[in-house]
């Protein structure tokens, strides 16, 4: 009797990476073996699952349907096998995380360094990105974002203190151009803005006045997707910029940057580790959750269910 699941691991690896070479590296077999396994699967079900060209690989409609329908179930099976295999041992394997570029509480390294020291058999693969995407479909165990940006069907735990977004500039800039008294004054200032991609409008700076939230569409003299460059330009006196307080804190403490408009910048809920609601959570992710809970004194919660 033939195995009805033969070729599925190869197909899923190609579907996730859209690349036969990367799929072969993930599975630890040759590219030819992956191609042949997928071809046998297609021959068995009588439907092409992939469109192959010399330069690209794409899912057919049937392939996309199969990928969407089977991947969550196979992920559950893989997690269950991992839990059973590790019942009497320490968590192991690689934990894949997608982390926002402004999540300093994670990227500063102390939280993860403590986790790695406590669990030497676990590795961490981190993608720093501000792109919004389906972490489950992309093969990540969890992500870290601001709580307000997390999908409603995810489980989330806080991994930072409440945050504030500040507008800052160097003392040199403020001495030459003055301090804005109200967010609308920013329209007359040199601003350094954040733009996630070339085809996306620059981020609108957000404020609160008398309990009412509003935003200002500044016209940045410089726009970039690199927060580090924004900070360096502000330090050099190029203008005002806007970002998370914890990003600016070292420069604020030594007086290299000064905050303005603080009355319009109240605190809000901070960063959360989020992951899909599953019956079985991988041990390595459970270990990270427990580590961060102990570090932050937080309890897991469902994020905006409803």
């Amino acid at each position: 009797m033939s195995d009805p699941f033969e070729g599925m691991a190869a197909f899923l690896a190609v579907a996730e990476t859209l690349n036969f070479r990367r799929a072969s590296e993930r599975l630890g077999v040759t590219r030819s073996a992956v191609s042949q396994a997928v071809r046998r699967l297609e021959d068995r079900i009588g439907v092409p699952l992939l469109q192959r060209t010399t330069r690209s690989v794409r899912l057919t409609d049937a392939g996309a349907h199969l990928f969407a329908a089977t991947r969550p179930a196979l992920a559950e099976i893989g997690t269950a096998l991992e839990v059973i295999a590790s019942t009497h041992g320490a968590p192991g394997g690689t934990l894949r995380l997608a982390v926002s570029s402004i999540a300093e509480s994670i990227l500063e390294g102390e939280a993860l360094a403590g986790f790695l020291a406590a669990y030497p058999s676990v590795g961490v693969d981190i993608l720093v990105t501000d792109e919004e995407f389906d972490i489950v479909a992309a093969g990540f165990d969890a992500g870290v974002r601001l709580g307000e940006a997390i999908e409603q069907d995810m489980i989330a735990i806080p991994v930072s203190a409440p945050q504030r977004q500040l507008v800052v500039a160097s003392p040199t800039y403020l001495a030459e151009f003055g301090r804005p008294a109200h967010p609308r004054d920013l329209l007359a200032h040199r601003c350094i803005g954040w733009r996630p991609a070339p085809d996306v409008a620059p981020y609108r700076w957000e404020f609160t006045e008398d309990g009412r939230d509003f935003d200002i569409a500044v016209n940045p003299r410089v726009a970039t997707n690199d927060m580090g460059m924004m900070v360096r330009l502000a330090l050099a006196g190029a203008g005002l910029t806007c970002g998370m307080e914890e990003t600016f804190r070292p420069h604020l403490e030594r007086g290299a940057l000064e905050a303005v408009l603080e009355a319009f910048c109240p605190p809000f809920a901070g960063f959360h580790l989020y992951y899909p609601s599953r019956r079985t959570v991988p041990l390595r992710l459970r270990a990270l959750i427990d580590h961060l809970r102990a570090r932050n004194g937080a309890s897991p919660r469902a994020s905006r269910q409803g």
Side-chain angles (χ1 to χ4, degrees):
M1 180 178 178
S2 63
D3 179 3
F5 301 113
E6 181 185 1
M8 282 301 300
F11 165 71
L12 288 172
V14 176
E16 288 176 351
T17 63
L18 295 179
N19 185 286
F20 278 90
R21 178 183 57 80
R22 289 198 293 269
S24 68
E25 292 172 350
R26 177 180 296 185
L27 296 173
V29 299
T30 65
R31 178 174 177 174
S32 175
V34 173
S35 179
Q36 292 174 20
V38 173
R39 184 71 71 187
R40 287 194 297 269
L41 175 62
E42 292 176 319
D43 290 343
R44 189 168 71 249
I45 63 178
V47 177
L49 301 173
L50 302 171
Q51 291 179 343
R52 306 162 176 83
T53 70
T54 56
R55 294 186 177 182
S56 66
V57 177
R58 295 177 55 190
L59 292 171
T60 64
D61 290 344
H65 177 77
L66 180 63
F67 181 56
T70 60
R71 192 183 187 285
L74 290 175
E76 290 280 359
I77 293 171
T79 299
L81 291 172
E82 176 189 314
V83 169
I84 292 171
S86 303
T87 299
H88 301 292
T94 300
L95 187 63
R96 300 191 67 214
L97 303 175
V99 182
S100 169
S101 68
I102 57 174
E104 293 288 338
S105 54
I106 293 294
L107 297 178
E108 67 182 1
E110 291 187 5
L112 288 177
F115 171 73
L116 292 170
Y119 299 96
S121 296
V122 178
V124 181
D125 188 342
I126 300 174
L127 173 68
V128 179
T129 177
D130 295 305
E131 180 183 356
E132 294 187 9
F133 60 92
D134 184 346
I135 61 169
V136 178
F140 289 89
D141 294 293
V144 177
R145 290 183 190 171
L146 288 173
E148 63 187 23
I150 297 173
E151 295 86 349
Q152 294 186 1
D153 60 349
M154 292 287 172
I155 304 299
I157 62 168
V159 293
S160 77
Q163 300 290 300
R164 264 206 317 170
Q165 188 165 261
L166 293 180
V167 177
V168 301
S170 70
T172 301
Y173 175 86
L174 296 174
E176 182 175 356
F177 296 99
R179 307 174 73 93
H182 189 276
R184 61 175 169 265
D185 297 339
L186 293 169
L187 299 176
H189 275 268
R190 299 178 180 180
C191 294
I192 304 161
W194 183 75
R195 182 201 299 271
D199 57 347
V200 178
Y203 168 73
R204 299 170 69 97
W205 296 10
E206 299 177 344
F207 302 95
T208 300
E209 183 177 24
D210 299 327
R212 181 181 63 85
D213 296 332
F214 65 101
D215 57 55
I216 298 292
V218 300
N219 183 24
R221 189 173 184 185
V222 178
T224 177
N225 68 338
D226 185 344
M227 190 68 206
M229 176 172 284
M230 293 166 63
V231 173
R232 290 190 293 273
L233 286 170
L235 288 169
L240 294 148
T241 195
C242 181
M244 305 304 294
E245 180 178 14
E246 63 180 20
T247 299
F248 301 135
R249 185 173 295 122
H251 309 294
L252 294 169
E253 290 177 349
R254 63 187 179 88
L257 292 176
E258 296 181 14
V260 299
L261 303 174
E262 290 189 80
F264 302 92
C265 302
F268 53 87
F271 292 97
H272 289 68
L273 177 91
Y274 67 100
Y275 56 96
S277 177
R278 291 175 176 165
R279 292 185 296 275
T280 306
V281 176
L283 287 185
R284 58 183 177 272
L285 178 56
R286 175 55 61 193
L288 178 63
I289 292 168
D290 291 342
H291 174 77
L292 294 176
R293 288 180 63 191
R295 179 181 173 87
N296 294 283
S299 298
R301 64 170 179 82
S303 176
R304 299 192 313 276
Q305 300 286 342

